[in-house]
Amino acid sequence: MDGRKDPVLILNSLRSLYGRGVYPGRADNMGAPLWEDDPFHVLITTVLSQRTRDENTRVSAESLFGAYADPASIAAAPLGEIERLIRKAGFPHQKAMAIKEISRIIAEKGKVPADIGFLLSLPMVGRKTANCVLAYAFGLPAICVDTHVHRIANLLGLVDTSRPEDTEEALKKIVPPELWRDINSLFVRHGQVICLPRNPRCGQCPIREQCDYGQSR
Ligand code: SF4
């Protein structure tokens, strides 16, 4: 990262544009969701959000939680029924198996612990999902690195990494911990509105002055 870049300034500029963000499937422009904003529902919604768009996550989460609202009822639900309810999110068999097993484990445990080691032991929960739960459900300092965060942090020149795990570590070294939880929501929103994956709209971008890619165009 070169000396002229200020991650705090970048995040503040994005926050003035987008406000405070929300986790996948709970975007402001979709209205209030049906489910509670608690760790279990954030966890399941984040699993649903893997490899699909926010609209599909939202529809699937509403179908699932509309039929089965708590860990015990999802754990007891027939697998085929869960698959049917979440079909829009894609990979219904794989996601339904993971969601049913996660629900069984959480029902036994009584609650979702704010423990990254435990979260990483669950099916279909990698660092991105675990950090998303810690940041959005528990308000803890964690950086959820999805494709938008990884891509935009590299375009900006804040990091020079090829793997999301390395992006997480590199960002932790340059961003104050109190801002870690905002990175995902702000970069995701930026990636959806201006820094589009195929054709970033650098001409409209408020952080172009701080961006290596934007400066090179
Ligand atoms: S200047 Fe372009 S590449 Fe850089 S963050 Fe903005 S939109 Fe993305």
Side-chain angles (χ1 to χ4, degrees):
M1 183 182 79
D2 83 39
R4 84 193 148 79
K5 276 189 228 314
D6 181 350
V8 176
L9 190 65
I10 289 171
L11 290 168
N12 285 341
S13 301
L14 294 178
R15 193 178 296 102
S16 10
L17 193 61
Y18 303 123
R20 206 173 186 91
V22 288
Y23 63 91
R26 201 170 175 140
D28 298 333
N29 59 1
M30 296 183 205
L34 291 177
W35 63 88
E36 295 298 317
D37 202 5
D38 59 79
F40 175 71
H41 289 92
V42 174
L43 170 59
I44 297 299
T45 306
T46 310
V47 170
L48 282 173
S49 76
Q50 293 175 21
R51 290 176 286 171
T52 193
R53 297 207 309 260
D54 272 2
E55 312 81 274
N56 298 330
T57 301
R58 173 61 179 261
V59 169
S60 297
E62 287 199 336
S63 300
L64 178 65
F65 300 144
Y68 304 102
D70 57 75
S73 60
I74 296 176
L79 186 64
E81 173 69 355
I82 299 175
E83 283 184 35
R84 185 184 68 75
L85 292 166
I86 66 167
R87 189 160 302 281
K88 269 255 176 199
F91 307 94
H93 184 63
Q94 192 187 359
K95 288 182 179 176
M97 292 224 302
I99 286 169
K100 193 169 159 69
E101 177 62 4
I102 291 170
S103 300
R104 185 190 66 73
I105 294 168
I106 301 302
E108 269 181 28
K109 204 158 184 72
K111 65 174 185 177
V112 179
D115 171 355
I116 192 154
F118 171 83
L119 292 168
L120 289 172
S121 74
L122 298 171
M124 284 192 79
V125 177
R127 288 201 70 82
K128 182 193 86 169
T129 298
N131 280 321
C132 202
V133 173
L134 294 179
Y136 288 110
F138 292 103
L140 293 171
I143 305 179
C144 173
V145 179
D146 69 351
T147 54
H148 288 298
V149 173
H150 181 61
R151 178 176 59 83
I152 295 173
N154 274 281
L155 287 172
L156 284 163
L158 285 174
V159 302
D160 180 12
T161 54
S162 49
R163 301 184 317 150
E165 306 88 288
D166 298 330
T167 300
E168 181 190 339
E169 288 312 309
L171 286 173
K172 280 181 175 171
K173 290 186 183 136
I174 57 170
V175 178
E178 63 271 22
L179 297 179
W180 289 359
R181 63 187 296 273
D182 294 342
I183 292 175
N184 179 269
S185 59
L186 294 172
F187 279 21
V188 167
R189 196 84 185 106
H190 197 48
Q192 292 168 336
V193 177
I194 293 178
C195 192
L196 307 178
R198 292 212 180 132
N199 187 20
R201 298 170 176 157
C202 299
Q204 303 169 24
C205 182
I207 53 175
R208 186 173 188 173
E209 293 241 321
Q210 304 246 353
C211 178
D212 283 356
Y213 183 83
Q215 290 294 310
S216 72
R217 290 183 93 190

